[in-house]
Amino acid sequence: MMENPSVIGASTVLNRWEEEGKKLTKWELSRVIKELRKYRRFSLALGVYEWIHEQGDRFRVSTSDTAIQLDLISKVHGVLSAEEYFLKLPDTAKDNHTYGALLNAYVQAKMKEKAESLIVDMRDKGYAMHSLPFNVMMTLYMKLKEYEKVIEMITEMLEKNIKMDIYSYNIWVTTCGSMGSVEKMEEVLQRMKLDSSIYPNWTTYSTMATMYMNMGLTEKARDCLKKVESRITARDRIPYHYLLSLYGSLGSKEEVYRIWKAYKSNFPSIWNLGYHAMIASLVRLDDIEGAQRIFDEWLSARSTYDPRVSNLIMGWYVKNGLLDEAEAFLENVFEVGGKVNSNTWEILAEGYIAKQQISEALTCVKEAVSAEGAVHWKPKPANISTLLALCDEESDLENKEVLFEVMKQIGCLDNGKITGETESGSSLSSDRSYVDDDDTESNLLLSQIPETL
């Protein structure tokens, strides 16, 4: 809540606190770190650990603390810095906690070879005798779509009698579904039901619903969604977001509105994520009037302005060739004091590209580059390729030169060639859909698996 927390730093605040005569305990510091991590304030959380170390032997630092610090270093400074930190640790600090944290860092960075090498070491040292390191590795193989590797990990767990938890089972269910086997997926569910220590949760059935939908088994998907509803706990909002998205994907407008009504009746206020899920579903259903109505409700209820919410509606207008409506909507966003991000401008650029309005599209690209938070933004290569082709068709050398300068500015130009595109101009990375940019289905399982720490 203080001004410029990242500038002031955690140590300054903690020193001030103690200068006022209030002595901090290890329990209080651990609670602060937990809260900061919860809200993704990783740099500040790392600063708390640095302050702890500055106090010498005053606080007892466990290997669990060391593991959390390694995790924070990976998030703040990158996985190589975390690896360096691990290598410098004394042998007494290298146990299942710190090894697990490094494994998790490798997996998050999709560093497959290093992760595989590390888990071999963990097996040799006896640190891979429980489900968590297996779950972490299986998430990596799932991200890489190496489903056979997931099955190998499951087989190893079964052979070594390593107890599976709910996440292990959910990964197994998802893998069978991703491999297109309804029978095996249902066999795993039955196995879960026979395991007295496991209770299939809402994530299990939401995952199965997604798999059934992908296979065209809509009735089975609907049955799973009913089971999701029956497993929602009192204060858990997240299942509602997935229900909205999945019913939207099924084309069930009535169910989307029913879930929205139930969601609002159970919570006095709805987070931005909830409005995002609802509007994304309505946009997917082409219910733009309903989406606009919910958007207006969000404007009056929101605590902060999230441009991802308004981008959904703008994306629908552009996708349907309604550029004038998209421009008017953006003007309204500015009028109500709303914010935009790089994706906002790229959405509008796509509209101009479709109309072959080169100068206007290029202006949007430049706005995207200079937008708040644009440091990690890269344009979709397909859009840039199309812009270049339009410049060539129109012999527009001036705008082509400007485009090259912009690409150079954001590091997408190498030896005079725009990087990150195939010969056909399609993106090497996964395409971002502005109508469905919540990506709830594909991230469902991985978002529910806890980090190592």
Side-chain angles (χ1 to χ4, degrees):
M1 294 180 67
M2 60 189 180
E3 292 184 11
N4 301 318
S6 59
V7 176
I8 296 173
S11 61
T12 301
V13 177
L14 296 173
N15 284 330
R16 285 178 185 172
W17 187 263
E18 293 215 321
E19 286 167 4
E20 294 172 2
K22 306 167 185 175
K23 284 295 179 183
L24 289 158
T25 66
K26 177 66 186 310
W27 181 86
E28 288 171 324
L29 292 167
S30 297
R31 187 166 176 266
V32 167
I33 291 167
K34 182 178 180 181
E35 286 294 298
L36 289 170
R37 293 177 76 216
K38 176 182 175 182
Y39 290 103
R40 306 186 65 79
R41 306 301 293 273
F42 303 125
S43 182
L44 283 172
L46 182 58
V48 175
Y49 269 122
E50 291 168 351
W51 184 86
I52 288 174
H53 288 297
E54 290 170 2
Q55 310 309 305
D57 297 330
R58 176 180 164 190
F59 300 105
R60 188 181 71 84
V61 177
S62 67
T63 55
S64 292
D65 290 312
T66 304
I68 295 171
Q69 186 170 354
L70 189 153
D71 177 71
L72 290 168
I73 290 170
S74 175
K75 287 178 167 63
V76 176
H77 300 299
V79 67
L80 295 181
S81 295
E83 183 181 63
E84 184 179 346
Y85 173 78
F86 177 83
L87 293 173
K88 290 180 179 178
L89 291 173
D91 289 342
T92 53
K94 293 178 179 177
D95 63 2
N96 61 311
H97 297 294
T98 47
Y99 267 92
L102 183 60
L103 179 67
N104 192 63
Y106 285 150
V107 167
Q108 293 298 316
K110 296 183 182 179
M111 299 173 73
K112 176 185 170 183
E113 291 183 1
K114 288 195 172 186
E116 290 179 331
S117 175
L118 188 66
I119 200 166
V120 169
D121 290 342
M122 293 177 70
R123 286 190 183 101
D124 293 342
K125 295 178 183 295
Y127 297 152
M129 298 305 295
H130 54 94
S131 62
L132 190 52
F134 287 88
N135 292 347
V136 172
M137 282 301 298
M138 288 190 292
T139 62
L140 172 62
Y141 291 134
M142 283 189 61
K143 289 177 182 178
L144 299 175
K145 301 189 186 310
E146 296 184 11
Y147 303 121
E148 292 295 340
K149 291 285 187 73
V150 177
I151 300 301
E152 287 177 13
M153 299 291 286
I154 292 289
T155 301
E156 181 180 349
M157 293 178 75
L158 293 173
E159 290 176 349
K160 293 181 176 179
N161 292 318
I162 295 172
K163 183 68 176 174
M164 292 191 187
D165 59 18
I166 186 66
Y167 305 106
S168 311
Y169 278 112
N170 284 346
I171 293 169
W172 195 1
V173 165
T174 306
T175 300
C176 292
S178 299
M179 295 174 77
S181 177
V182 175
E183 182 180 352
K184 289 183 179 180
M185 185 171 71
E186 293 175 346
E187 283 179 5
V188 176
L189 180 63
Q190 290 305 312
R191 188 171 186 134
M192 290 176 74
K193 291 178 177 179
L194 293 173
D195 189 331
S196 60
S197 66
I198 300 295
Y199 177 69
N201 59 12
W202 71 263
T203 308
T204 306
Y205 287 105
S206 189
T207 300
M208 291 194 69
T210 302
M211 296 302 161
Y212 282 136
M213 286 166 55
N214 292 341
M215 298 174 192
L217 303 172
T218 56
E219 288 308 311
K220 286 193 172 187
R222 290 178 188 276
D223 183 58
C224 284
L225 291 182
K226 294 300 181 185
K227 289 183 171 64
V228 171
E229 289 187 61
S230 69
R231 283 162 171 75
I232 299 177
T233 55
R235 304 309 301 167
D236 194 356
R237 299 168 180 261
I238 305 303
Y240 290 101
H241 302 169
Y242 288 108
L243 284 168
L244 290 169
S245 176
L246 293 169
Y247 274 125
S249 296
L250 281 172
S252 303
K253 185 189 293 188
E254 289 183 3
E255 291 298 296
V256 168
Y257 278 106
R258 182 182 65 79
I259 294 297
W260 180 244
K261 183 178 179 181
Y263 187 6
K264 293 181 71 176
S265 68
N266 286 322
F267 294 92
S269 62
I270 305 296
W271 296 344
N272 285 349
L273 282 175
Y275 279 103
H276 187 283
M278 178 59 175
I279 292 172
S281 295
L282 295 179
V283 161
R284 189 179 292 120
L285 291 163
D286 284 329
D287 183 5
I288 192 62
E289 292 182 2
Q292 182 68 61
R293 186 170 61 253
I294 300 297
F295 176 78
D296 292 338
E297 178 186 315
W298 171 72
L299 282 178
S300 62
R302 64 180 171 82
S303 57
T304 57
Y305 195 99
D306 186 343
R308 291 174 297 179
V309 177
S310 48
N311 284 355
L312 291 168
I313 296 180
M314 265 195 68
W316 187 90
Y317 283 134
V318 168
K319 180 183 176 182
N320 287 275
L322 302 172
L323 183 57
D324 290 342
E325 286 80 352
E327 290 174 327
F329 181 80
L330 182 59
E331 284 297 323
N332 184 62
V333 167
F334 290 129
E335 286 175 7
V336 299
K339 295 181 180 180
V340 298
N341 59 16
S342 298
N343 286 342
T344 311
W345 292 111
E346 188 170 26
I347 292 169
L348 194 58
E350 288 186 350
Y352 288 127
I353 290 171
K355 300 286 186 181
Q356 298 189 353
Q357 297 177 226
I358 300 173
S359 295
E360 290 83 353
L362 188 53
T363 297
C364 289
V365 173
K366 290 191 287 185
E367 290 282 3
V369 170
S370 59
E372 183 179 346
V375 63
H376 300 298
W377 176 82
K378 300 293 182 186
K380 290 199 286 188
N383 287 336
I384 302 305
S385 296
T386 304
L387 257 180
L388 280 174
L390 287 173
C391 288
D392 288 338
E393 288 174 15
E394 300 292 330
S395 299
D396 191 342
L397 297 179
E398 183 179 348
N399 275 327
K400 184 175 181 178
E401 185 64 30
V402 172
L403 180 58
F404 270 90
E405 284 298 319
V406 173
M407 293 300 99
K408 182 179 180 180
Q409 179 184 338
I410 59 175
C412 289
L413 193 67
D414 184 21
N415 294 324
K417 183 179 179 181
I418 292 176
T419 59
E421 59 186 288
T422 63
E423 291 181 2
S424 61
S426 60
S427 175
L428 293 175
S429 59
S430 58
D431 186 46
R432 301 191 303 276
S433 168
Y434 296 115
V435 173
D436 301 325
D437 68 357
D438 56 329
D439 200 22
T440 46
E441 293 93 328
S442 63
N443 288 322
L444 170 60
L445 177 67
L446 299 183
S447 68
Q448 294 301 311
I449 297 173
E451 293 188 5
T452 304
L453 304 168

